[in-house]
Amino acid sequence: MSVSFAKALEAAHDAAGSQNHPASTLYVVATPIGNLADISLRALHVLSRVDAVACEDTRHTQQLLRAYGLDRPGSQLLAVHQHNETQAAQNVITRLGQGERVAYVSDAGTPAISDPGARLVNAVRQAGYRVLPLPGASSVTTALSASGMTGDDGFVFAGFLPSKSAERARAVQTLAVESRAVVLLEAPHRIEALAQALSVLGERPITVGRELTKQFEQIETLSAQALPGWLAEKPERQRGEFVLVLHDAPVPASAGEGLRVLQVLLPELPLKTAVKLAAEITGESKNELYDKALALKNG
C-alpha cells in the first residue's frame, strides 16, 4: 500500500469510525469504475471492518483491496456472480444470521446495476436482514453529468441491449419513440454492432463515454448516424467499456402551435420572414407553415 492510501485509510477511520455500522447487515459498497482515487472514506472503513466481502470476481476484488492495504484471506472473499447468485445468497444469509457484517462489491462502480447483486440484496431483505448502501462511483451518473443532456423529464436507464441483432433492432425502435434521454452500457466486442443499430436514429445526439475516469478517458457527443464512422476512424475507439447517453428527443410542436405563432407574427412581419421564424420556433415544416400563412392572408 502506498503512503497516500495509508493516510487515506487513517482518515477513513477518523471520518467513519464513530458512525454506527450494525452487525447482521449487508453493506452494498460502491467501488471505483477505473480510478483508484475514487473510493470513499466510508467505503475504506467498512471494507476494513466487515467479516467477509462478497464479490463478482474474487481475484479482481483481492487486487482492489490489496491496493488499499486491505488484504484478506481467501476464506473471507465470497464469490457471488450471475451463475451462482441464488446459492451464494444463502451463504451470505447464514453469515448474517451469525451476526457477521458482509460487504458486497461488484467489479466496478455501484453494485446491482446491470451486474450481479440485485438477487442477493432481495434475498437478504426477504430473510429479514438489513441492507445498507454506501454510495460512490457510478458510470451512469458519470456519463450523464458530462453529456450536457438538458431534458427536463429525466432519463431512462436501459443498460445492455440484447445481443441478438433482431432483438437489438426492436429495442432500438422502442428507443426511437422514447422522448427522454436513455443511458446504455456496452462491452468493447459489441460496440460496433450497437453503433450500427443506433445509426437509424439519425441526427439524434449521443454522448459516448469510453474508459471513464481512466488514463485514456474519452467523452464525445455526435449524431447517432455518425457513431459507426467515428468508431471506425481509430482502432482505440473500440477499446474499453462504454456508456452511451442517447439525448432527449426534440419535443414536437403541439397541433395548431404553428398556426398560433403565425397569427402573432404575420401582422408584424413579411410572410416569408414570419414562416421562417415560425418554423424555427415550432419545428414544423416550412412548406406546411407557408400554406397555412397563405390561407391566413387570403382568409
Side-chain angles (χ1 to χ4, degrees), residues 73-134:
S75 61
Q76 293 181 6
L77 295 177
L78 315 176
V80 180
H81 47 72
Q82 61 179 345
H83 303 296
N84 77 339
E85 196 168 358
T86 301
Q87 179 182 355
Q90 294 307 310
N91 183 18
V92 171
I93 290 169
T94 297
R95 285 175 173 267
L96 296 178
Q98 296 169 350
E100 292 189 6
R101 298 173 179 85
V102 179
Y104 176 71
V105 299
S106 61
D107 283 347
T110 301
I113 301 175
S114 281
D115 57 29
R119 290 186 178 87
L120 170 63
V121 169
N122 185 56
V124 168
R125 287 193 177 282
Q126 292 293 325
Y129 294 104
R130 184 176 179 183
V131 177
L132 201 159
L134 274 66

Side-chain angles (χ1 to χ4, degrees), residues 9 15 59 105 130 139 144 168 171 237 242:
L9 191 56
R59 293 168 299 180
V105 299
R130 184 176 179 183
S139 61
L144 278 169
R168 184 169 53 238
R237 289 179 179 173
F242 290 83

Side-chain angles (χ1 to χ4, degrees), residues 9 12-13 42-50 65 70 72:
L9 191 56
H13 298 324
R42 189 176 174 213
L44 287 175
H45 177 76
V46 168
L47 288 172
S48 72
R49 291 291 185 262
V50 293
L65 294 174
L70 300 175
R72 284 182 173 273

Side-chain angles (χ1 to χ4, degrees), residues 29-35 38-39 106 108-115 134-146 155 157 183 185 212-213 217 242-243 245:
V29 183
T31 55
I33 60 176
N35 191 317
D38 289 336
I39 191 77
S106 61
T110 301
I113 301 175
S114 281
D115 57 29
L134 274 66
S138 165
S139 61
V140 174
T141 53
T142 299
L144 278 169
S145 68
F155 67 94
F157 176 68
V183 180
L185 306 178
L212 292 176
T213 77
E217 174 185 77
F242 290 83
V243 185
V245 179

Side-chain angles (χ1 to χ4, degrees), residues 198-219:
L198 291 173
S199 66
V200 302
L201 301 179
E203 292 293 335
R204 190 163 174 182
I206 292 182
T207 294
V208 182
R210 185 182 71 84
E211 294 286 82
L212 292 176
T213 77
K214 299 179 184 178
Q215 181 179 359
F216 299 107
E217 174 185 77
Q218 191 169 19
I219 302 172

